[in-house]
Amino acid sequence: MNDKFSVPEAELARQREYTELVRTVLSSRFPDKPPKAFVHTYGCQGNVADGERLQGILAEMGYEFTDSPEKADLVLYNTCAIREHAEDRVFGNAGALKPIKKLKPDMIIALCGCMTQQASVAERLKRSFPFVDIVFGTHVSYKLPEFIYCALCTGKRVIDVTDSEGNIVEGLPIKRDGTFKAWVPIMYGCNNFCSYCIVPYVRGRERSRDFDTVLDEVRELVQRGYKEITLLGQNVNSYNKDLPEEKRFPALLKAISEIDGDFIVRFMTSHPRDCTKELLDVMASSDKIAKHLHLPFQSGNDRVLKEMNRHYDRKKYLELIDYAYSLMPELSVTSDVIVGFPGETYEEFRDTLSLIEKVKYTSLFTFIFSPRPGTKAYDMYDPVPREEKGRWFKELTDLQESIARKRTAAMKGRSYRVLVEGRSKADGVLSARTEGNVIIEFKGDESLIGSFVTVEVTEPKTWVVYGEYKG
Ligand code: SAH
Ligand code: SF4
Ligand code: F3S
């Protein structure tokens, strides 16, 4: 256990006492049927994993869940701060709760997560959103029982956005959203301070969960029948980076791939600076490790990468990709990319396009630069107008679309082992995902959901391919 970041056991015990107190209060206030909670998580899978712990705590306190805020006795928004747009959505959705709260004054409204961790946002919520009862940040989310107790019993607003280096809390109950796909955080926080990014400010310092604790969690999930495990961290390649090699990420991935059972393991996100050939060797060594590498490059231009504080250059990135393809010719590579970083010129942006052409990504998450208060890039000179950036963005997405179309066209006639994830929109059609993260739809029986099947691709489109069930 990483003692520096662990929360004292006495504090966790105190929260368990609050859980019991809330349980008692709720059972007397809701004698006929249990209260309902609506929990919505924005942002990355790491936040989703946090949300599953918050749901776990709520379930222990006696809440059941609903998918509509109107029917809820407690609404919890677990927010994201990565781009301005993400924050605007939360402000909008929180504002929409005001009339509901008017009709149901006893409803508790709580906001937490990366957005509320920022003092300026907490201040705005305090001032302009008086109907929000609880606001808490990422470092104190294990105190949810105490916060709910306060709101239920004192009626006072609770605002706790204490900043800290972060913590690791083990042993919290987890109510997972999926029954065959699971998120497993292996580390929290980030030390990279990419100049555009808010995450290090709202998530604290990088810290890794204990090797054996992670291994045990994955083993248990596999035993319970989970088919896809995704290991999560902002930079999984620096997992346990201060410990000997046998405890670092390649070793963890290898150990997980050696667990008995029918499952695949994925991981995200890999930072190119810390991605090693050894990691790619481990990937290539096991059929249990999905042949999918999410390796964000952000920009194809060295000057921009330097300004972004990414600590790798185009050459190093392409070397890693070449090595990865040489080991795993079928590898699917995806990435994140930012268009219009402050001061980026069109010529520099073209380096991003040429890198995309070289790597031939399966898909890309594409973002227009969004200034985040408090980050270094927020104050950088940014002369290119938004409309111009919009045109570059379109150029990029058009290019990626043509690459994706060619990639999926090459899948025609081939068979893939896929995990069936659910129903598609069309009647009787199922939606599945290949190891490489391509969606395949095919006609099949719903009993197949949650299992691995083989599907032959018959009709590839750009972002989805259609296929035929082969067993
Ligand atoms: N830790 C991961 C990224 C997490 S954030 C990594 O380093 O790769 C997910 C993505 O959001 C980033 O990769 C980046 O492309 C994008 N992003 C982060 N901050 C942004 C900002 N201020 N404006 C636009 N996109 C941003
Ligand atoms: Fe943000 Fe960079 Fe950390 Fe990723 S590595 S979370 S982009 S600061
Ligand atoms: Fe958003 Fe926080 Fe994740 S800012 S992307 S939810 S770490």
Side-chain angles (χ1 to χ4, degrees), residues 65 82 107 147-149 186 190 240 280 329 352 385 411 415:
F65 296 90
I82 202 79
M107 179 170 88
F147 300 150
I148 300 224
Y149 182 78
I186 62 167
C190 183
N240 274 349
L280 300 169
T352 289
M411 293 171 77
S415 290

Side-chain angles (χ1 to χ4, degrees), residues 11-39:
E11 171 57 21
L12 298 179
R14 210 168 70 85
Q15 294 305 324
R16 286 194 292 271
E17 280 167 25
Y18 275 116
T19 300
E20 284 313 310
L21 287 172
V22 172
R23 248 192 115 75
T24 313
V25 174
L26 290 177
S27 53
S28 70
R29 288 203 197 163
F30 296 86
D32 304 328
K33 56 178 182 356
K36 295 263 188 295
F38 171 80
V39 180

Side-chain angles (χ1 to χ4, degrees), residues 14-136:
R14 210 168 70 85
Q15 294 305 324
R16 286 194 292 271
E17 280 167 25
Y18 275 116
T19 300
E20 284 313 310
L21 287 172
V22 172
R23 248 192 115 75
T24 313
V25 174
L26 290 177
S27 53
S28 70
R29 288 203 197 163
F30 296 86
D32 304 328
K33 56 178 182 356
K36 295 263 188 295
F38 171 80
V39 180
H40 187 76
T41 293
Y42 301 79
C44 61
Q45 279 86 355
N47 220 29
V48 171
D50 286 351
E52 293 183 335
R53 280 159 183 78
L54 294 166
Q55 287 175 175
I57 298 174
L58 291 173
E60 255 189 14
M61 291 190 297
Y63 282 98
E64 289 187 349
F65 296 90
T66 166
D67 50 14
S68 129
E70 282 86 2
K71 291 191 193 129
D73 302 292
L74 169 87
V75 173
L76 174 63
Y77 284 142
N78 181 25
T79 64
C80 169
I82 202 79
R83 282 168 292 275
E84 199 177 354
H85 176 67
E87 295 199 342
D88 289 345
R89 266 174 60 208
V90 172
F91 281 125
N93 289 348
L97 295 175
K98 192 176 175 179
I100 307 177
K101 174 103 177 180
K102 259 217 166 99
L103 295 173
K104 288 172 67 176
D106 288 338
M107 179 170 88
I108 295 177
I109 301 178
L111 262 65
C112 66
C114 293
M115 183 176 155
T116 52
Q117 183 61 47
Q118 302 165 96
S120 58
V121 172
E123 194 46 46
R124 178 169 165 195
L125 289 168
K126 199 169 154 183
R127 221 181 32 243
S128 312
F129 291 72
F131 52 93
V132 173
D133 304 283
I134 305 175
V135 177
F136 61 100

Side-chain angles (χ1 to χ4, degrees), residues 345-372:
T345 64
Y346 183 68
E347 277 311 301
E348 289 169 336
F349 166 69
R350 288 182 61 87
D351 288 340
T352 289
L353 296 180
S354 73
L355 188 129
I356 292 171
E357 267 187 286
K358 271 210 158 74
V359 179
K360 306 230 173 334
Y361 293 99
T362 302
S363 59
L364 287 174
F365 294 97
T366 46
F367 310 105
I368 292 186
F369 169 75
S370 168
R372 303 285 61 220

Side-chain angles (χ1 to χ4, degrees), residues 10 41 45 94 96 108 170 217 252 256 272 281 312 315 328 352 355 365 444:
T41 293
Q45 279 86 355
I108 295 177
E170 294 294 356
E217 184 172 328
L252 178 70
I256 289 173
D281 291 339
Y312 55 84
K315 184 161 168 279
M328 298 167 278
T352 289
L355 188 129
F365 294 97

